């Protein structure tokens, strides 16, 4: 029998003492996790959303601000003989390399942090990724040209490092929010964290707008970017550093809270197999403390008992292969990874090149350099406010009632139709029609697969592989963004480039994006509906449910790698 602990009142219930008299660690685990699942929505849930969301705000700010920054780098560093045909405009290869660098680093971070969080724990990794982001962001803002190294090379290096930190935030923020969430509102909580991406994009536009307005007098004297030198170029150099450097501010605010968050009880139960610590961490989370402190003697006894008694399979390479070699499990990973890949081809292909779209609709021009960059910032804000931000929050409002899978189906279907219209009717749309369709597309990205591809991988996998699986799914998406920027994006300049049409093949690029959205509909059929289901039910651990797996629920003897047809069918039906 576990030792009872002090503490607990009407506001902060002592969950641990409710089950201290229960000796079986499996039953204690079931009851403790049930309390987390059915807990009423409270301020501790809001705190978890804010702490995770601020990190995602920083991620989005750093990723999408680069679309504004690269144009400014062209003004400052590309007036030399290396670009005589377009002075003041960054080379397309350098522009692509800077944008792809972040995605490349993000792939490494998503896989690496995802695996490590399943091995050493969520708490030990959470905050480390934010430290990397803060350091790399400040390093970018302080970067400069030199005789031995170009500014592009320096920024690429630091954006790869920053990308590793951003990548780590994807699986960690998703699964920590998921594992602490109440079942009823888990989708809304995870959606709220992801919705901070839209706020990050919005603030990137606002900071750019403020910075450009602050140097209005210096920028207004130059009629074109080619003529922006001297005081104008010096001011532009300050502006891009302000925009980049501000990205470190929200991360600094959230860092303390991330470093002091308790370990998720699900990891402590299922991976660390430490039921005493899990119970204390549950209480600590509810009370806003960094971690629980159980009696060490009782804790050691509990660990020894749990090693023999807990029926949840232990994580191992052999068990990982056994789990995902079963089609019913492997298809889910294929569905989450494939959907994220197809989505990000179009999403990042458009979002990181907003300036191209804004140019096509007339929001990237002006009578002088000040008006050019002012209009570009305003155009980005319009797109985010009109389409992206509403889409995120409509998802938050409906994801726990409509469900994840219907929203993802609907989003991919609408995007397929929209990209077909933009691509095949491009020449007849006009600037207002193109802007309207682009804004609607942004809405259905976010009230659709951009949100659900983040939410579902944080729910549908077992605890011991949840972070790894989310990291692999997210990394697949970033591979899609690299494909969009390296392979598909450059296609827009095919044909005859003129002063009035810098992207003659843009309509065909939209048609290609429509094909990828159609493929996303196919991969969506592979994912399960996770609405209002506990994480243990989704992992197949709960007898009597439709997806119960005896191997996950402990019905198969330890060491067995096979599940008989009888176990999979007859016994499952009998439990029902």
């Amino acid at each position: 029998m576990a030792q009872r602990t002090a503490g607990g009142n009407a506001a902060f219930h002592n969950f641990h003492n409710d089950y201290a008299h229960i000796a079986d660690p499996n039953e204690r685990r079931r009851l403790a996790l049930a309390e987390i699942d059915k807990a009423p929505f409270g301020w501790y849930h809001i705190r978890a959303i804010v702490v995770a969301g601020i990190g995602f705000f920083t991620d989005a700010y750093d990723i999408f601000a680069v679309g504004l920054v690269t144009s400014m780098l062209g003004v400052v560093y590309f007036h030399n003989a290396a670009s005589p045909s377009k002075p003041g405009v960054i080379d397309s290869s350098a522009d692509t390399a800077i944008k792809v660098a972040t995605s490349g680093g993000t792939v490494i971070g998503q896989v690496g942090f995802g695996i490590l969080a399943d091995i050493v724990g969520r708490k030990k990794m959470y905050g480390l990724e934010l430290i990397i982001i803060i350091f790399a962001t400040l390093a970018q803002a302080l970067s400069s040209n030199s005789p031995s190294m170009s500014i592009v090379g320096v920024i690429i290096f630091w954006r790869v490092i920053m990308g590793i930190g951003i990548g780590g935030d994807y699986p960690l923020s998703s699964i920590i929010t998921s594992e602490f969430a109440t079942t009823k509102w888990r989708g809304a909580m995870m959606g709220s964290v992801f919705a901070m991406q839209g706020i990050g994009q919005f603030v990137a536009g606002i900071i750019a707008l403020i910075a450009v307005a602050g140097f209005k007098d210096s920028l207004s004297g130059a009629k074109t970017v080619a003529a922006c030198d001297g005081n104008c170029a010096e001011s532009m150099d300050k502006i891009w550093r302000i925009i980049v450097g501000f990205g470190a501010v929200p991360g600094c605010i959230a860092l303390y809270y991330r470093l002091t968050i308790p370990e998720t009880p699900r990891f402590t139960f299922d991976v660390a197999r430490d039921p005493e610590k899990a119970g204390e961490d549950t209480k600590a989370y509810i009370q806003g403390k960094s971690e629980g402190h159980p009696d060490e003697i009782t804790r050691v006894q509990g660990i020894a008992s749990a090693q023999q008694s807990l029926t949840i399979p232990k994580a191992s390479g052999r068990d990982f292969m056994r789990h995902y070699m079963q089609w019913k499990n492997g298809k889910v990973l294929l569905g989450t990874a494939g959907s994220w890949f197809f989505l990000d081809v179009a999403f990042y292909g458009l979002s990181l090149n907003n300036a191209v779209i804004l140019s096509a609709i007339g929001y990237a021009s002006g009578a002088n350099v000040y008006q050019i960059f002012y209009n570009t910032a305003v155009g980005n804000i319009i797109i985010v406010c009109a389409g992206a931000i509403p889409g995120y929050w409509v998802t938050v409002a409906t994801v726990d009632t409509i469900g994840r899978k219907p929203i993802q189906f609907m989003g991919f279907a609408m995007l397929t139709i929209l990209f077909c219209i933009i691509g095949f009717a491009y020449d007849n749309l006009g600037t207002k029609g193109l802007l309207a369709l682009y804004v609607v597309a942004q809405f259905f990205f976010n009230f659709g697969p951009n949100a659900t591809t983040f939410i579902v991988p944080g729910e549908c996998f077992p605890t011991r592989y949840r972070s790894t699986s989310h990291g692999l799914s997210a990394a697949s998406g970033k591979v899609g963004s690299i494909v969009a920027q390296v392979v598909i994006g450059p296609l827009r300049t095919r044909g005859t480039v003129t002063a009035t049409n810098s992207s003659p093949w843009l309509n065909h690029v939209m048609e290609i994006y429509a094909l990828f959205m159609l493929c996303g509909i196919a991969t969506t059929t592979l994912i399960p509906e996770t609405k209002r289901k506990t994480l243990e039910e989704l992992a197949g651990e709960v007898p009597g449910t439709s997806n119960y797996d005896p191997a996950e629920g402990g019905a198969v003897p330890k060491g067995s790698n096979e599940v008989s047809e009888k176990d999979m069918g007859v016994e499952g039906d009998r439990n029902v």
Side-chain angles (χ1 to χ4, degrees):
M1 182 181 297
Q3 179 174 322
R4 295 177 68 84
T5 60
N9 53 41
F12 303 108
H13 188 71
N14 190 332
F15 292 109
H16 178 269
N17 283 351
D18 288 346
Y19 315 116
H21 63 287
I22 299 174
D24 181 8
N26 294 291
E27 184 65 8
R28 292 183 65 197
R29 170 184 179 273
R30 186 186 69 80
L31 293 172
L33 295 184
E35 286 291 345
I36 296 175
D37 290 335
K38 67 182 182 182
F41 189 82
W43 68 270
Y44 42 88
H45 292 119
I46 296 173
R47 185 177 67 245
I49 292 170
V50 171
V51 172
I54 290 178
F56 237 82
F57 168 96
T58 303
D59 299 345
Y61 181 97
D62 290 332
I63 289 174
F64 295 104
V66 72
L68 298 166
V69 168
T70 53
S71 298
M72 298 176 181
L73 290 174
V75 174
V76 179
Y77 295 103
F78 284 81
H79 276 93
N80 53 36
S83 54
S85 60
K86 293 183 178 180
V89 178
I90 189 171
D91 290 342
S92 60
S93 58
D95 178 63
T96 300
I98 290 173
K99 293 173 180 176
V100 170
T102 311
S103 297
T106 302
V107 171
I108 298 171
Q110 287 165 333
V111 176
F113 275 81
I115 294 172
L116 287 172
D118 276 339
I119 296 174
V120 303
R122 286 71 159 123
K123 175 181 172 61
K124 291 181 179 178
M125 300 306 299
Y126 210 40
L128 176 59
E129 85 294 347
L130 204 53
I131 293 173
I132 295 172
I133 293 171
I134 293 169
F135 181 78
T137 299
L138 294 175
Q140 286 177 75
L142 299 174
S143 298
S144 185
N145 224 346
S146 73
S148 62
M149 186 173 294
S150 72
I151 184 67
V152 172
V154 175
I155 290 180
I156 287 173
F157 173 81
W158 287 117
R159 288 196 73 83
V160 170
I161 302 299
M162 183 187 74
I164 293 174
I166 291 174
D169 205 27
Y170 273 75
L172 285 168
S173 290
S174 174
I175 62 172
I176 286 175
T177 305
S178 172
E179 291 178 359
F180 275 128
T182 174
T183 300
K184 185 177 182 180
W185 302 114
R186 187 177 60 236
M189 287 182 63
M190 298 177 72
S192 297
V193 170
F194 195 69
M196 294 303 291
Q197 187 179 80
I199 306 299
Q201 290 176 264
F202 172 74
V203 172
I206 291 293
I207 296 300
L209 190 67
I210 294 171
V212 169
F215 291 90
K216 179 178 180 180
D217 293 340
S218 301
L219 302 179
S220 298
K223 300 300 182 184
T224 65
V225 291
C228 184
D229 53 13
N231 189 37
C232 176
E234 181 181 339
S235 298
M236 192 63 72
D237 192 42
K238 295 175 182 177
I239 291 171
W240 78 260
R241 294 177 192 277
I242 291 170
I243 295 172
V244 171
F246 183 83
V249 174
C252 292
I253 296 172
L255 182 59
Y256 168 78
Y257 298 98
R258 288 202 170 191
L259 293 174
T260 56
I261 195 170
E263 181 58 85
T264 69
R266 284 182 163 90
F267 177 86
T268 312
F269 269 123
D270 293 2
V271 182
R273 307 178 93 78
D274 187 348
E276 297 298 324
K277 188 68 165 66
E280 288 296 305
D281 283 344
T282 301
K283 182 175 68 174
Y285 167 66
I286 300 297
Q287 295 182 348
K289 298 178 181 179
S290 60
E291 63 177 323
H293 299 282
D295 178 79
E296 288 301 320
I297 295 177
T298 306
R299 182 182 179 186
V300 171
Q301 293 173 343
I303 292 174
S305 174
Q307 294 297 331
Q308 299 298 321
S309 303
L310 275 177
T311 58
I312 300 302
K314 290 184 179 180
S316 66
R318 186 180 184 183
D319 179 68
F320 182 89
M321 293 302 296
R322 176 202 65 78
H323 182 78
Y324 284 113
M325 286 300 289
Q326 297 180 65
W327 172 243
K328 66 175 182 177
N329 299 322
K331 73 174 184 178
V332 177
L333 182 59
L334 179 62
T336 57
S339 297
W340 213 329
F341 173 84
F342 293 128
L343 162 74
D344 275 7
V345 170
F347 181 73
Y348 280 92
L350 287 181
S351 298
L352 290 179
N353 294 284
N354 271 352
V356 175
I357 303 298
L358 293 173
S359 177
I361 61 179
Y363 267 94
S365 60
N368 52 50
V369 171
Y370 165 73
Q371 290 187 7
I372 291 171
F373 285 96
Y374 184 90
N375 290 340
T376 300
V378 170
N380 275 276
I381 294 170
I382 290 172
I383 290 172
V384 172
C385 289
I389 292 178
Y392 284 114
W393 291 103
V394 171
T395 297
V396 172
T398 61
V399 70
D400 284 311
T401 52
I402 296 176
R404 288 70 155 155
K405 196 168 182 177
I407 290 176
Q408 186 163 311
F409 260 126
M410 178 270 301
F412 272 128
M414 289 299 299
L415 289 167
T416 302
I417 295 169
L418 288 168
F419 282 125
C420 282
I421 295 172
I422 295 173
F424 291 105
Y426 185 84
D427 295 330
N428 300 316
L429 291 174
T431 56
K432 292 182 180 179
L434 181 59
L435 175 60
L437 289 172
Y438 186 65
V439 167
V440 174
Q442 288 293 325
F443 177 83
F444 282 107
F445 268 127
N446 299 302
F447 178 44
N450 192 39
T452 55
T453 51
F454 174 81
I455 295 171
V456 173
E459 301 176 304
C460 62
F461 301 108
T463 298
R464 63 191 186 280
Y465 302 129
R466 185 171 292 127
S467 181
T468 300
S469 302
H470 193 287
L472 291 172
S473 300
S476 176
K478 285 300 174 287
V479 171
S481 75
I482 294 172
V483 170
Q485 295 168 73
V486 175
V487 179
I488 300 176
L491 294 177
R492 63 182 174 80
T493 58
R494 291 190 64 182
T496 304
V497 177
T498 64
T500 57
N501 186 7
S502 60
S503 304
W505 230 62
L506 185 60
N507 59 327
H508 299 302
V509 170
M510 296 297 159
E511 293 163 8
I512 294 172
Y513 289 158
L515 177 60
F516 279 93
M517 296 301 95
L518 186 63
C519 292
I521 295 175
T523 54
T524 300
T525 62
L526 301 177
I527 67 171
E529 176 53 65
T530 59
K531 178 185 70 173
R532 302 278 165 88
K533 295 181 180 179
T534 68
L535 298 181
E536 286 64 46
E537 180 182 347
L538 291 166
E541 300 172 11
V542 182
T545 57
S546 59
N547 58 331
Y548 173 57
D549 182 350
E552 296 296 323
V556 176
K558 293 180 180 180
S560 174
N561 291 318
E562 297 182 359
V563 181
S564 69
E565 184 177 343
K566 179 181 178 181
D567 289 331
M568 295 295 292
V570 177
E571 291 300 313
D573 293 339
R574 187 176 299 165
N575 284 321
V576 175

